[in-house]
Amino acid sequence: MSLTEARFHDLVDATQQTLEDVFDDSGLDIDLESSAGVLTVKFENGSQLIFSRQEPLRQLWLAAVSGGFHFDYDEESERWMCDKSEEQLGEMLERIVMQQAGAELDFEGL
């Protein structure tokens, strides 16, 4: 069963708020910008992570130095899962943030 539009937006809003909280609490020198459903994380070294909602597909998209990734929400695990690798968003972010910023952050719960 696919997500309703309202549930999709609620899930993405909650996920983006969690991401903002993790990055705010990280102590990293980063800039966060949230506008029109897009969350941009700019690291001190100039690299970025861009999270965007793709409403027609009910997906959360992530753009990183290592590529673009599309996530579907899995109701059973209550996690965003990569549609190609089936990796959880939180696990992927831990790896990507280490690669891009050299920082170990905990994205447990995503």
PDB file of all heavy atoms in Angstrom, residues 42-78:
ATOM      1  N   LYS A  42      25.642  21.919   4.170  1.00  0.00           N
ATOM      2  CA  LYS A  42      26.916  22.325   3.568  1.00  0.00           C
ATOM      3  C   LYS A  42      28.013  22.164   4.606  1.00  0.00           C
ATOM      4  O   LYS A  42      27.988  22.798   5.659  1.00  0.00           O
ATOM      5  CB  LYS A  42      26.848  23.779   3.101  1.00  0.00           C
ATOM      6  CG  LYS A  42      25.808  24.008   2.022  1.00  0.00           C
ATOM      7  CD  LYS A  42      25.731  25.457   1.617  1.00  0.00           C
ATOM      8  CE  LYS A  42      24.616  25.662   0.598  1.00  0.00           C
ATOM      9  NZ  LYS A  42      24.460  27.052   0.214  1.00  0.00           N
ATOM     10  N   PHE A  43      28.989  21.301   4.280  1.00  0.00           N
ATOM     11  CA  PHE A  43      30.108  21.051   5.181  1.00  0.00           C
ATOM     12  C   PHE A  43      31.198  22.095   4.980  1.00  0.00           C
ATOM     13  O   PHE A  43      31.264  22.763   3.947  1.00  0.00           O
ATOM     14  CB  PHE A  43      30.675  19.640   4.953  1.00  0.00           C
ATOM     15  CG  PHE A  43      29.703  18.543   5.291  1.00  0.00           C
ATOM     16  CD1 PHE A  43      29.094  17.820   4.277  1.00  0.00           C
ATOM     17  CD2 PHE A  43      29.384  18.239   6.597  1.00  0.00           C
ATOM     18  CE1 PHE A  43      28.192  16.805   4.565  1.00  0.00           C
ATOM     19  CE2 PHE A  43      28.488  17.228   6.903  1.00  0.00           C
ATOM     20  CZ  PHE A  43      27.893  16.514   5.886  1.00  0.00           C
ATOM     21  N   GLU A  44      32.072  22.183   5.961  1.00  0.00           N
ATOM     22  CA  GLU A  44      33.161  23.165   5.948  1.00  0.00           C
ATOM     23  C   GLU A  44      34.046  23.020   4.708  1.00  0.00           C
ATOM     24  O   GLU A  44      34.554  24.002   4.180  1.00  0.00           O
ATOM     25  CB  GLU A  44      33.994  23.007   7.230  1.00  0.00           C
ATOM     26  CG  GLU A  44      35.044  24.043   7.427  1.00  0.00           C
ATOM     27  CD  GLU A  44      35.767  23.893   8.750  1.00  0.00           C
ATOM     28  OE1 GLU A  44      35.684  22.831   9.387  1.00  0.00           O
ATOM     29  OE2 GLU A  44      36.439  24.862   9.147  1.00  0.00           O
ATOM     30  N   ASN A  45      34.204  21.779   4.223  1.00  0.00           N
ATOM     31  CA  ASN A  45      35.068  21.535   3.058  1.00  0.00           C
ATOM     32  C   ASN A  45      34.383  21.850   1.725  1.00  0.00           C
ATOM     33  O   ASN A  45      34.953  21.625   0.669  1.00  0.00           O
ATOM     34  CB  ASN A  45      35.579  20.097   3.067  1.00  0.00           C
ATOM     35  CG  ASN A  45      34.472  19.068   2.941  1.00  0.00           C
ATOM     36  OD1 ASN A  45      33.320  19.391   2.654  1.00  0.00           O
ATOM     37  ND2 ASN A  45      34.816  17.812   3.166  1.00  0.00           N
ATOM     38  N   GLY A  46      33.132  22.336   1.791  1.00  0.00           N
ATOM     39  CA  GLY A  46      32.423  22.713   0.576  1.00  0.00           C
ATOM     40  C   GLY A  46      31.513  21.638   0.015  1.00  0.00           C
ATOM     41  O   GLY A  46      30.701  21.914  -0.862  1.00  0.00           O
ATOM     42  N   SER A  47      31.650  20.402   0.493  1.00  0.00           N
ATOM     43  CA  SER A  47      30.765  19.349  -0.003  1.00  0.00           C
ATOM     44  C   SER A  47      29.382  19.510   0.625  1.00  0.00           C
ATOM     45  O   SER A  47      29.223  20.174   1.648  1.00  0.00           O
ATOM     46  CB  SER A  47      31.348  17.958   0.276  1.00  0.00           C
ATOM     47  OG  SER A  47      31.329  17.667   1.657  1.00  0.00           O
ATOM     48  N   GLN A  48      28.397  18.904  -0.010  1.00  0.00           N
ATOM     49  CA  GLN A  48      27.021  19.074   0.431  1.00  0.00           C
ATOM     50  C   GLN A  48      26.264  17.749   0.425  1.00  0.00           C
ATOM     51  O   GLN A  48      26.621  16.822  -0.296  1.00  0.00           O
ATOM     52  CB  GLN A  48      26.260  20.017  -0.514  1.00  0.00           C
ATOM     53  CG  GLN A  48      26.791  21.402  -0.611  1.00  0.00           C
ATOM     54  CD  GLN A  48      25.933  22.245  -1.557  1.00  0.00           C
ATOM     55  OE1 GLN A  48      24.719  22.216  -1.492  1.00  0.00           O
ATOM     56  NE2 GLN A  48      26.582  22.978  -2.441  1.00  0.00           N
ATOM     57  N   LEU A  49      25.205  17.731   1.218  1.00  0.00           N
ATOM     58  CA  LEU A  49      24.173  16.705   1.143  1.00  0.00           C
ATOM     59  C   LEU A  49      22.875  17.447   0.863  1.00  0.00           C
ATOM     60  O   LEU A  49      22.610  18.481   1.489  1.00  0.00           O
ATOM     61  CB  LEU A  49      24.024  15.953   2.467  1.00  0.00           C
ATOM     62  CG  LEU A  49      25.219  15.162   2.973  1.00  0.00           C
ATOM     63  CD1 LEU A  49      24.906  14.565   4.337  1.00  0.00           C
ATOM     64  CD2 LEU A  49      25.593  14.074   1.984  1.00  0.00           C
ATOM     65  N   ILE A  50      22.089  16.946  -0.061  1.00  0.00           N
ATOM     66  CA  ILE A  50      20.816  17.585  -0.387  1.00  0.00           C
ATOM     67  C   ILE A  50      19.721  16.531  -0.287  1.00  0.00           C
ATOM     68  O   ILE A  50      19.770  15.503  -0.971  1.00  0.00           O
ATOM     69  CB  ILE A  50      20.845  18.210  -1.797  1.00  0.00           C
ATOM     70  CG1 ILE A  50      21.970  19.245  -1.887  1.00  0.00           C
ATOM     71  CG2 ILE A  50      19.488  18.835  -2.121  1.00  0.00           C
ATOM     72  CD1 ILE A  50      22.244  19.744  -3.282  1.00  0.00           C
ATOM     73  N   PHE A  51      18.770  16.803   0.593  1.00  0.00           N
ATOM     74  CA  PHE A  51      17.631  15.916   0.804  1.00  0.00           C
ATOM     75  C   PHE A  51      16.406  16.584   0.183  1.00  0.00           C
ATOM     76  O   PHE A  51      16.107  17.728   0.508  1.00  0.00           O
ATOM     77  CB  PHE A  51      17.362  15.710   2.300  1.00  0.00           C
ATOM     78  CG  PHE A  51      18.516  15.099   3.032  1.00  0.00           C
ATOM     79  CD1 PHE A  51      19.487  15.902   3.608  1.00  0.00           C
ATOM     80  CD2 PHE A  51      18.624  13.724   3.165  1.00  0.00           C
ATOM     81  CE1 PHE A  51      20.554  15.348   4.291  1.00  0.00           C
ATOM     82  CE2 PHE A  51      19.689  13.163   3.855  1.00  0.00           C
ATOM     83  CZ  PHE A  51      20.663  13.973   4.416  1.00  0.00           C
ATOM     84  N   SER A  52      15.715  15.872  -0.684  1.00  0.00           N
ATOM     85  CA  SER A  52      14.528  16.455  -1.297  1.00  0.00           C
ATOM     86  C   SER A  52      13.406  15.426  -1.350  1.00  0.00           C
ATOM     87  O   SER A  52      13.652  14.226  -1.471  1.00  0.00           O
ATOM     88  CB  SER A  52      14.834  16.982  -2.701  1.00  0.00           C
ATOM     89  OG  SER A  52      15.262  15.942  -3.537  1.00  0.00           O
ATOM     90  N   ARG A  53      12.196  15.938  -1.244  1.00  0.00           N
ATOM     91  CA  ARG A  53      11.027  15.060  -1.322  1.00  0.00           C
ATOM     92  C   ARG A  53      10.550  14.998  -2.761  1.00  0.00           C
ATOM     93  O   ARG A  53      10.499  16.011  -3.444  1.00  0.00           O
ATOM     94  CB  ARG A  53       9.937  15.528  -0.359  1.00  0.00           C
ATOM     95  CG  ARG A  53       9.333  16.862  -0.685  1.00  0.00           C
ATOM     96  CD  ARG A  53       8.350  17.326   0.377  1.00  0.00           C
ATOM     97  NE  ARG A  53       9.072  17.771   1.549  1.00  0.00           N
ATOM     98  CZ  ARG A  53       8.599  17.745   2.785  1.00  0.00           C
ATOM     99  NH1 ARG A  53       7.397  17.320   3.031  1.00  0.00           N
ATOM    100  NH2 ARG A  53       9.327  18.164   3.787  1.00  0.00           N
ATOM    101  N   GLN A  54      10.242  13.808  -3.174  1.00  0.00           N
ATOM    102  CA  GLN A  54       9.715  13.586  -4.517  1.00  0.00           C
ATOM    103  C   GLN A  54       8.281  13.086  -4.353  1.00  0.00           C
ATOM    104  O   GLN A  54       8.026  11.880  -4.281  1.00  0.00           O
ATOM    105  CB  GLN A  54      10.588  12.597  -5.284  1.00  0.00           C
ATOM    106  CG  GLN A  54      12.015  13.066  -5.470  1.00  0.00           C
ATOM    107  CD  GLN A  54      12.094  14.361  -6.247  1.00  0.00           C
ATOM    108  OE1 GLN A  54      11.440  14.536  -7.261  1.00  0.00           O
ATOM    109  NE2 GLN A  54      12.896  15.295  -5.766  1.00  0.00           N
ATOM    110  N   GLU A  55       7.371  14.044  -4.266  1.00  0.00           N
ATOM    111  CA  GLU A  55       5.980  13.742  -3.934  1.00  0.00           C
ATOM    112  C   GLU A  55       5.311  12.746  -4.880  1.00  0.00           C
ATOM    113  O   GLU A  55       4.677  11.796  -4.425  1.00  0.00           O
ATOM    114  CB  GLU A  55       5.170  15.032  -3.856  1.00  0.00           C
ATOM    115  CG  GLU A  55       3.766  14.818  -3.378  1.00  0.00           C
ATOM    116  CD  GLU A  55       3.009  16.119  -3.281  1.00  0.00           C
ATOM    117  OE1 GLU A  55       3.593  17.160  -2.936  1.00  0.00           O
ATOM    118  OE2 GLU A  55       1.801  16.074  -3.566  1.00  0.00           O
ATOM    119  N   PRO A  56       5.435  12.906  -6.208  1.00  0.00           N
ATOM    120  CA  PRO A  56       4.732  11.964  -7.095  1.00  0.00           C
ATOM    121  C   PRO A  56       5.162  10.510  -6.882  1.00  0.00           C
ATOM    122  O   PRO A  56       4.370   9.592  -7.038  1.00  0.00           O
ATOM    123  CB  PRO A  56       5.094  12.431  -8.503  1.00  0.00           C
ATOM    124  CG  PRO A  56       5.526  13.853  -8.339  1.00  0.00           C
ATOM    125  CD  PRO A  56       6.134  13.942  -6.968  1.00  0.00           C
ATOM    126  N   LEU A  57       6.432  10.311  -6.513  1.00  0.00           N
ATOM    127  CA  LEU A  57       6.968   8.960  -6.314  1.00  0.00           C
ATOM    128  C   LEU A  57       6.901   8.522  -4.854  1.00  0.00           C
ATOM    129  O   LEU A  57       7.209   7.376  -4.544  1.00  0.00           O
ATOM    130  CB  LEU A  57       8.423   8.893  -6.794  1.00  0.00           C
ATOM    131  CG  LEU A  57       8.644   9.225  -8.258  1.00  0.00           C
ATOM    132  CD1 LEU A  57      10.121   9.313  -8.577  1.00  0.00           C
ATOM    133  CD2 LEU A  57       7.965   8.205  -9.142  1.00  0.00           C
ATOM    134  N   ARG A  58       6.559   9.469  -3.962  1.00  0.00           N
ATOM    135  CA  ARG A  58       6.543   9.227  -2.506  1.00  0.00           C
ATOM    136  C   ARG A  58       7.914   8.734  -2.052  1.00  0.00           C
ATOM    137  O   ARG A  58       8.042   7.772  -1.303  1.00  0.00           O
ATOM    138  CB  ARG A  58       5.460   8.218  -2.098  1.00  0.00           C
ATOM    139  CG  ARG A  58       4.052   8.599  -2.494  1.00  0.00           C
ATOM    140  CD  ARG A  58       3.522   9.795  -1.698  1.00  0.00           C
ATOM    141  NE  ARG A  58       2.078   9.911  -1.759  1.00  0.00           N
ATOM    142  CZ  ARG A  58       1.414  10.681  -2.623  1.00  0.00           C
ATOM    143  NH1 ARG A  58       2.077  11.377  -3.522  1.00  0.00           N
ATOM    144  NH2 ARG A  58       0.108  10.752  -2.596  1.00  0.00           N
ATOM    145  N   GLN A  59       8.961   9.408  -2.546  1.00  0.00           N
ATOM    146  CA  GLN A  59      10.330   9.057  -2.196  1.00  0.00           C
ATOM    147  C   GLN A  59      11.053  10.247  -1.581  1.00  0.00           C
ATOM    148  O   GLN A  59      10.732  11.412  -1.858  1.00  0.00           O
ATOM    149  CB  GLN A  59      11.126   8.607  -3.425  1.00  0.00           C
ATOM    150  CG  GLN A  59      10.714   7.267  -3.965  1.00  0.00           C
ATOM    151  CD  GLN A  59      11.602   6.817  -5.117  1.00  0.00           C
ATOM    152  OE1 GLN A  59      12.053   7.617  -5.931  1.00  0.00           O
ATOM    153  NE2 GLN A  59      11.864   5.522  -5.178  1.00  0.00           N
ATOM    154  N   LEU A  60      12.065   9.928  -0.780  1.00  0.00           N
ATOM    155  CA  LEU A  60      13.012  10.910  -0.262  1.00  0.00           C
ATOM    156  C   LEU A  60      14.295  10.690  -1.048  1.00  0.00           C
ATOM    157  O   LEU A  60      14.784   9.555  -1.130  1.00  0.00           O
ATOM    158  CB  LEU A  60      13.244  10.674   1.242  1.00  0.00           C
ATOM    159  CG  LEU A  60      14.281  11.550   1.914  1.00  0.00           C
ATOM    160  CD1 LEU A  60      13.857  13.017   1.885  1.00  0.00           C
ATOM    161  CD2 LEU A  60      14.493  11.101   3.353  1.00  0.00           C
ATOM    162  N   TRP A  61      14.799  11.757  -1.649  1.00  0.00           N
ATOM    163  CA  TRP A  61      16.018  11.646  -2.445  1.00  0.00           C
ATOM    164  C   TRP A  61      17.176  12.302  -1.715  1.00  0.00           C
ATOM    165  O   TRP A  61      17.012  13.323  -1.034  1.00  0.00           O
ATOM    166  CB  TRP A  61      15.844  12.314  -3.814  1.00  0.00           C
ATOM    167  CG  TRP A  61      14.976  11.538  -4.759  1.00  0.00           C
ATOM    168  CD1 TRP A  61      14.235  10.419  -4.499  1.00  0.00           C
ATOM    169  CD2 TRP A  61      14.765  11.832  -6.134  1.00  0.00           C
ATOM    170  NE1 TRP A  61      13.574  10.008  -5.624  1.00  0.00           N
ATOM    171  CE2 TRP A  61      13.877  10.845  -6.642  1.00  0.00           C
ATOM    172  CE3 TRP A  61      15.229  12.820  -6.980  1.00  0.00           C
ATOM    173  CZ2 TRP A  61      13.456  10.834  -7.965  1.00  0.00           C
ATOM    174  CZ3 TRP A  61      14.800  12.811  -8.308  1.00  0.00           C
ATOM    175  CH2 TRP A  61      13.928  11.824  -8.795  1.00  0.00           C
ATOM    176  N   LEU A  62      18.350  11.702  -1.873  1.00  0.00           N
ATOM    177  CA  LEU A  62      19.586  12.214  -1.284  1.00  0.00           C
ATOM    178  C   LEU A  62      20.624  12.369  -2.381  1.00  0.00           C
ATOM    179  O   LEU A  62      20.897  11.424  -3.127  1.00  0.00           O
ATOM    180  CB  LEU A  62      20.109  11.240  -0.214  1.00  0.00           C
ATOM    181  CG  LEU A  62      21.537  11.441   0.276  1.00  0.00           C
ATOM    182  CD1 LEU A  62      21.711  12.805   0.948  1.00  0.00           C
ATOM    183  CD2 LEU A  62      21.943  10.322   1.215  1.00  0.00           C
ATOM    184  N   ALA A  63      21.180  13.576  -2.479  1.00  0.00           N
ATOM    185  CA  ALA A  63      22.306  13.822  -3.386  1.00  0.00           C
ATOM    186  C   ALA A  63      23.540  14.010  -2.520  1.00  0.00           C
ATOM    187  O   ALA A  63      23.528  14.797  -1.560  1.00  0.00           O
ATOM    188  CB  ALA A  63      22.053  15.063  -4.229  1.00  0.00           C
ATOM    189  N   ALA A  64      24.591  13.280  -2.841  1.00  0.00           N
ATOM    190  CA  ALA A  64      25.852  13.334  -2.103  1.00  0.00           C
ATOM    191  C   ALA A  64      26.994  13.271  -3.111  1.00  0.00           C
ATOM    192  O   ALA A  64      26.769  13.030  -4.303  1.00  0.00           O
ATOM    193  CB  ALA A  64      25.938  12.161  -1.124  1.00  0.00           C
ATOM    194  N   VAL A  65      28.201  13.467  -2.644  1.00  0.00           N
ATOM    195  CA  VAL A  65      29.369  13.388  -3.526  1.00  0.00           C
ATOM    196  C   VAL A  65      29.419  12.014  -4.203  1.00  0.00           C
ATOM    197  O   VAL A  65      29.764  11.897  -5.373  1.00  0.00           O
ATOM    198  CB  VAL A  65      30.664  13.666  -2.728  1.00  0.00           C
ATOM    199  CG1 VAL A  65      31.894  13.349  -3.564  1.00  0.00           C
ATOM    200  CG2 VAL A  65      30.695  15.120  -2.261  1.00  0.00           C
ATOM    201  N   SER A  66      29.036  10.977  -3.456  1.00  0.00           N
ATOM    202  CA  SER A  66      29.129   9.614  -3.977  1.00  0.00           C
ATOM    203  C   SER A  66      27.982   9.241  -4.921  1.00  0.00           C
ATOM    204  O   SER A  66      27.990   8.158  -5.495  1.00  0.00           O
ATOM    205  CB  SER A  66      29.186   8.613  -2.824  1.00  0.00           C
ATOM    206  OG  SER A  66      28.079   8.770  -1.972  1.00  0.00           O
ATOM    207  N   GLY A  67      26.980  10.126  -5.070  1.00  0.00           N
ATOM    208  CA  GLY A  67      25.914   9.847  -6.018  1.00  0.00           C
ATOM    209  C   GLY A  67      24.548  10.271  -5.519  1.00  0.00           C
ATOM    210  O   GLY A  67      24.416  10.925  -4.487  1.00  0.00           O
ATOM    211  N   GLY A  68      23.540   9.867  -6.265  1.00  0.00           N
ATOM    212  CA  GLY A  68      22.153  10.156  -5.914  1.00  0.00           C
ATOM    213  C   GLY A  68      21.468   8.877  -5.461  1.00  0.00           C
ATOM    214  O   GLY A  68      21.681   7.802  -6.047  1.00  0.00           O
ATOM    215  N   PHE A  69      20.657   8.986  -4.421  1.00  0.00           N
ATOM    216  CA  PHE A  69      20.005   7.821  -3.837  1.00  0.00           C
ATOM    217  C   PHE A  69      18.534   8.121  -3.613  1.00  0.00           C
ATOM    218  O   PHE A  69      18.176   9.237  -3.228  1.00  0.00           O
ATOM    219  CB  PHE A  69      20.678   7.448  -2.505  1.00  0.00           C
ATOM    220  CG  PHE A  69      22.159   7.268  -2.628  1.00  0.00           C
ATOM    221  CD1 PHE A  69      23.022   8.316  -2.359  1.00  0.00           C
ATOM    222  CD2 PHE A  69      22.690   6.061  -3.059  1.00  0.00           C
ATOM    223  CE1 PHE A  69      24.393   8.168  -2.493  1.00  0.00           C
ATOM    224  CE2 PHE A  69      24.063   5.901  -3.199  1.00  0.00           C
ATOM    225  CZ  PHE A  69      24.913   6.952  -2.914  1.00  0.00           C
ATOM    226  N   HIS A  70      17.693   7.121  -3.848  1.00  0.00           N
ATOM    227  CA  HIS A  70      16.249   7.269  -3.707  1.00  0.00           C
ATOM    228  C   HIS A  70      15.768   6.320  -2.617  1.00  0.00           C
ATOM    229  O   HIS A  70      16.116   5.135  -2.620  1.00  0.00           O
ATOM    230  CB  HIS A  70      15.544   6.935  -5.021  1.00  0.00           C
ATOM    231  CG  HIS A  70      16.016   7.765  -6.164  1.00  0.00           C
ATOM    232  ND1 HIS A  70      15.753   7.434  -7.470  1.00  0.00           N
ATOM    233  CD2 HIS A  70      16.741   8.911  -6.220  1.00  0.00           C
ATOM    234  CE1 HIS A  70      16.283   8.334  -8.272  1.00  0.00           C
ATOM    235  NE2 HIS A  70      16.904   9.237  -7.529  1.00  0.00           N
ATOM    236  N   PHE A  71      14.956   6.839  -1.703  1.00  0.00           N
ATOM    237  CA  PHE A  71      14.495   6.068  -0.564  1.00  0.00           C
ATOM    238  C   PHE A  71      12.976   5.954  -0.546  1.00  0.00           C
ATOM    239  O   PHE A  71      12.276   6.953  -0.727  1.00  0.00           O
ATOM    240  CB  PHE A  71      14.965   6.722   0.747  1.00  0.00           C
ATOM    241  CG  PHE A  71      16.448   6.700   0.912  1.00  0.00           C
ATOM    242  CD1 PHE A  71      17.228   7.693   0.341  1.00  0.00           C
ATOM    243  CD2 PHE A  71      17.074   5.682   1.607  1.00  0.00           C
ATOM    244  CE1 PHE A  71      18.599   7.676   0.474  1.00  0.00           C
ATOM    245  CE2 PHE A  71      18.451   5.646   1.738  1.00  0.00           C
ATOM    246  CZ  PHE A  71      19.214   6.651   1.168  1.00  0.00           C
ATOM    247  N   ASP A  72      12.516   4.728  -0.325  1.00  0.00           N
ATOM    248  CA  ASP A  72      11.102   4.453  -0.114  1.00  0.00           C
ATOM    249  C   ASP A  72      10.897   4.199   1.374  1.00  0.00           C
ATOM    250  O   ASP A  72      11.778   3.634   2.041  1.00  0.00           O
ATOM    251  CB  ASP A  72      10.674   3.189  -0.883  1.00  0.00           C
ATOM    252  CG  ASP A  72      10.737   3.377  -2.386  1.00  0.00           C
ATOM    253  OD1 ASP A  72      10.136   4.352  -2.881  1.00  0.00           O
ATOM    254  OD2 ASP A  72      11.378   2.545  -3.055  1.00  0.00           O
ATOM    255  N   TYR A  73       9.736   4.586   1.887  1.00  0.00           N
ATOM    256  CA  TYR A  73       9.455   4.348   3.300  1.00  0.00           C
ATOM    257  C   TYR A  73       8.910   2.939   3.468  1.00  0.00           C
ATOM    258  O   TYR A  73       7.947   2.542   2.809  1.00  0.00           O
ATOM    259  CB  TYR A  73       8.460   5.369   3.851  1.00  0.00           C
ATOM    260  CG  TYR A  73       8.369   5.295   5.351  1.00  0.00           C
ATOM    261  CD1 TYR A  73       9.374   5.826   6.149  1.00  0.00           C
ATOM    262  CD2 TYR A  73       7.292   4.666   5.967  1.00  0.00           C
ATOM    263  CE1 TYR A  73       9.308   5.745   7.524  1.00  0.00           C
ATOM    264  CE2 TYR A  73       7.220   4.584   7.349  1.00  0.00           C
ATOM    265  CZ  TYR A  73       8.232   5.121   8.117  1.00  0.00           C
ATOM    266  OH  TYR A  73       8.172   5.028   9.490  1.00  0.00           O
ATOM    267  N   ASP A  74       9.540   2.185   4.366  1.00  0.00           N
ATOM    268  CA  ASP A  74       9.123   0.824   4.660  1.00  0.00           C
ATOM    269  C   ASP A  74       8.303   0.845   5.950  1.00  0.00           C
ATOM    270  O   ASP A  74       8.851   1.104   7.021  1.00  0.00           O
ATOM    271  CB  ASP A  74      10.347  -0.085   4.801  1.00  0.00           C
ATOM    272  CG  ASP A  74       9.958  -1.507   5.141  1.00  0.00           C
ATOM    273  OD1 ASP A  74       9.276  -2.139   4.320  1.00  0.00           O
ATOM    274  OD2 ASP A  74      10.321  -1.978   6.234  1.00  0.00           O
ATOM    275  N   GLU A  75       7.004   0.616   5.817  1.00  0.00           N
ATOM    276  CA  GLU A  75       6.104   0.669   6.976  1.00  0.00           C
ATOM    277  C   GLU A  75       6.462  -0.380   8.030  1.00  0.00           C
ATOM    278  O   GLU A  75       6.334  -0.134   9.229  1.00  0.00           O
ATOM    279  CB  GLU A  75       4.650   0.487   6.540  1.00  0.00           C
ATOM    280  CG  GLU A  75       4.088   1.640   5.748  1.00  0.00           C
ATOM    281  CD  GLU A  75       3.721   2.860   6.579  1.00  0.00           C
ATOM    282  OE1 GLU A  75       3.896   2.848   7.808  1.00  0.00           O
ATOM    283  OE2 GLU A  75       3.256   3.835   5.979  1.00  0.00           O
ATOM    284  N   GLU A  76       6.912  -1.536   7.586  1.00  0.00           N
ATOM    285  CA  GLU A  76       7.212  -2.616   8.524  1.00  0.00           C
ATOM    286  C   GLU A  76       8.364  -2.249   9.459  1.00  0.00           C
ATOM    287  O   GLU A  76       8.272  -2.411  10.664  1.00  0.00           O
ATOM    288  CB  GLU A  76       7.527  -3.902   7.766  1.00  0.00           C
ATOM    289  CG  GLU A  76       7.647  -5.116   8.666  1.00  0.00           C
ATOM    290  CD  GLU A  76       7.818  -6.396   7.874  1.00  0.00           C
ATOM    291  OE1 GLU A  76       7.113  -6.564   6.858  1.00  0.00           O
ATOM    292  OE2 GLU A  76       8.657  -7.221   8.276  1.00  0.00           O
ATOM    293  N   SER A  77       9.450  -1.745   8.901  1.00  0.00           N
ATOM    294  CA  SER A  77      10.619  -1.380   9.721  1.00  0.00           C
ATOM    295  C   SER A  77      10.555   0.070  10.197  1.00  0.00           C
ATOM    296  O   SER A  77      11.356   0.477  11.035  1.00  0.00           O
ATOM    297  CB  SER A  77      11.910  -1.597   8.933  1.00  0.00           C
ATOM    298  OG  SER A  77      11.976  -0.704   7.828  1.00  0.00           O
ATOM    299  N   GLU A  78       9.616   0.830   9.637  1.00  0.00           N
ATOM    300  CA  GLU A  78       9.483   2.253   9.928  1.00  0.00           C
ATOM    301  C   GLU A  78      10.783   3.009   9.652  1.00  0.00           C
ATOM    302  O   GLU A  78      11.241   3.835  10.428  1.00  0.00           O
ATOM    303  CB  GLU A  78       9.020   2.482  11.372  1.00  0.00           C
ATOM    304  CG  GLU A  78       7.657   1.890  11.650  1.00  0.00           C
ATOM    305  CD  GLU A  78       7.153   2.174  13.054  1.00  0.00           C
ATOM    306  OE1 GLU A  78       7.967   2.450  13.959  1.00  0.00           O
ATOM    307  OE2 GLU A  78       5.921   2.122  13.235  1.00  0.00           O
TER     308      GLU A  78
END
